[in-house]
């Protein structure tokens, strides 16, 4: 059912995205998609059918987990190329949970790398962890890839990542998941 559920999630996300963009014109949103949606060609066909011409290029980002990369590089590059030509941003989610192969950063064309919480957890206490995160951040900067650090829970983590020049940071330090209504009260009013 992932294809049908994924289409429903995307439809609902785009509907909400349009509402929020009326209030905040440079609002951007990410939506997780399944590799199965790509593999079965369901995502591309669905997006071609929908033709959301009013969506600004790159501000609706499709996220795919790192775990599907390695055996599928050529296929993913073709799919990503077509999705990006249609105006969607591409993010690789959960980087560091599977292969975390830095060479993949130069082999797959995407816009955003989301560094998994497991890569961040020990940067305040373990110099090796800090060095790895700093290195990934530098590589992303050199390649023109925006890096997002996930799972930030401590102010010290935030300070280190800010010093590394990490562009976007998410985690409980800044807020927990909330309902649409609460999100609108906090950020849209």
């Amino acid at each position: 059912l992932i294809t049908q559920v994924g289409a429903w999630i995307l439809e609902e996300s785009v509907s909400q995205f349009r509402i929020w963009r009326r209030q905040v014109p440079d609002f951007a949103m990410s939506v997780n998609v399944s590799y199965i949606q790509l593999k079965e060609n369901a995502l591309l066909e669905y997006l071609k059918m929908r033709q959301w011409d009013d969506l600004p290029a790159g501000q609706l980002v499709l996220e795919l987990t790192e775990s599907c990369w390695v055996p599928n590089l050529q296929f993913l590059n073709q799919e990503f190329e077509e999705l990006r030509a249609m105006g969607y941003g591409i993010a690789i989610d959960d980087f560091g949970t599977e292969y975390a192969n830095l060479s993949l950063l130069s082999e797959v064309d995407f816009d955003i790398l989301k560094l998994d919480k497991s890569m961040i957890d020990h940067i305040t206490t373990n110099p090796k962890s800090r060095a790895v995160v700093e290195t990934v951040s530098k590589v992303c900067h050199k390649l023109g890839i925006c890096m997002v650090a996930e799972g930030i829970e401590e102010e010290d983590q935030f300070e280190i990542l800010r010093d590394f020049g990490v562009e976007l940071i998410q985690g409980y330090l800044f807020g927990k998941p909330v309902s649409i209504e609460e999100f609108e009260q906090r950020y849209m009013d």
Side-chain angles (χ1 to χ4, degrees):
L1 296 176
I2 191 64
T3 301
Q4 294 87 355
V5 172
W8 178 82
I9 289 170
L10 197 52
E11 191 76 37
E12 292 296 310
S13 298
V14 168
S15 177
Q16 190 62 56
F17 180 64
R18 284 184 171 130
I19 292 167
W20 287 338
R21 281 199 41 78
R22 284 194 288 273
Q23 296 171 343
V24 180
D26 60 348
F27 187 81
M29 178 185 277
S30 293
V31 179
N32 290 84
V33 295
S34 164
Y35 173 69
I36 293 169
Q37 290 173 276
L38 287 173
K39 183 178 166 191
E40 293 179 354
N41 208 25
L43 183 63
L44 276 175
E45 291 306 313
Y46 178 77
L47 294 173
K48 286 177 185 176
M49 181 183 71
R50 295 303 300 158
Q51 295 272 322
W52 289 311
D53 296 329
D54 62 325
L55 301 182
Q59 287 189 272
L60 183 60
V61 177
L62 305 174
E63 292 187 15
L64 193 67
T65 60
E66 174 202 359
S67 61
C68 68
W69 282 25
V70 171
N72 307 296
L73 284 177
Q74 185 175 4
F75 170 74
L76 284 178
N77 276 331
Q78 291 168 349
E79 296 290 299
F80 289 175
E81 185 177 323
E82 196 160 346
L83 289 168
R84 293 175 90 210
M86 294 169 67
Y88 297 98
I90 303 294
I92 299 301
D93 196 12
D94 298 334
F95 186 81
T97 59
E98 295 285 332
Y99 306 102
N101 184 338
L102 289 180
S103 69
L104 292 176
L105 300 181
S106 65
E107 295 177 32
V108 179
D109 192 18
F110 59 95
D111 308 292
I112 299 169
L113 177 82
K114 297 185 76 174
L115 195 61
D116 189 74
K117 179 186 183 316
S118 63
M119 301 282 288
I120 305 297
D121 281 343
H122 304 290
I123 63 170
T124 60
T125 58
N126 184 329
K128 289 181 180 179
S129 291
R130 189 170 31 253
V132 168
V133 171
E134 182 178 22
T135 300
V136 172
S137 174
K138 286 180 179 180
V139 169
C140 284
H141 283 124
K142 291 276 188 187
L143 295 175
I145 298 168
C146 176
M147 185 172 119
V148 177
E150 297 180 308
I152 309 312
E153 297 178 355
E154 303 168 11
E155 188 69 36
D156 290 350
Q157 292 171 322
F158 172 66
E159 296 294 329
I160 291 169
L161 293 164
R162 188 173 58 193
D163 290 346
F164 291 165
V166 175
E167 292 93 342
L168 298 172
I169 297 172
Q170 72 181 53
Y172 287 171
L173 180 64
F174 306 102
K176 294 183 179 182
V178 296
S179 68
I180 289 173
E181 295 77 22
E182 190 174 339
F183 181 84
E184 288 175 342
Q185 286 175 342
R186 283 189 195 178
Y187 303 109
M188 296 295 170
D189 291 337

